[in-house]
Amino acid sequence: MSGAAAAGVDRLGLRAVVNGFILDHIRVIEMVGVLMRIFSFGLVSWLGPASPFLFVWAFNTVDAVMLSWCSLLKRDAAYSLLNLFWILVGVVGMLRAMNLIGH
């Protein structure tokens, strides 16, 4: 990181810098998140019981984090709730895929 960039992070704080980056690229980040969601559910639909469920849930949870962050920055309550819910579902799905919690 250059000296000017490091000074900017120190002055604004990491969260403000990350939020600024996301806001500058929000349409692209949202599209990537939506495509990730389509891919993960498409994979499950295509492969059925042979799906790599841990991968699918991890991938789905990452897209839920991306989409939640975007919707929170946009102050969109409905999509914030929906995607925060998907984070919870993803964590439970990963724990089940790893057999750390029962069915």
Side-chain angles (χ1 to χ4, degrees):
M1 184 180 300
S2 72
V9 170
D10 289 341
R11 182 174 45 83
L12 294 173
L14 181 60
R15 185 175 7 164
V17 171
V18 171
N19 286 346
F21 176 84
I22 291 170
L23 287 169
D24 287 346
H25 301 91
I26 198 159
R27 292 176 58 102
V28 171
I29 293 168
E30 285 177 320
M31 182 59 73
V32 169
V34 168
L35 291 172
M36 289 171 69
R37 177 89 40 99
I38 291 168
F39 172 78
S40 63
F41 283 104
L43 187 63
V44 170
S45 296
W46 188 266
L47 296 178
S51 297
F53 286 106
L54 180 58
F55 169 78
V56 169
W57 283 118
F59 202 70
N60 187 274
T61 303
V62 169
D63 78 57
V65 169
M66 292 168 59
L67 294 171
S68 294
W69 202 322
C70 291
S71 59
L72 288 166
L73 289 176
K74 290 168 57 174
R75 301 190 192 292
D76 187 330
Y79 281 105
S80 296
L81 179 61
L82 177 66
N83 287 300
L84 290 168
F85 168 76
W86 274 111
I87 293 171
L88 177 64
V89 170
V91 169
V92 170
M94 287 187 289
L95 292 172
R96 288 182 67 186
M98 294 184 290
N99 292 319
L100 295 177
I101 59 174
H103 296 168

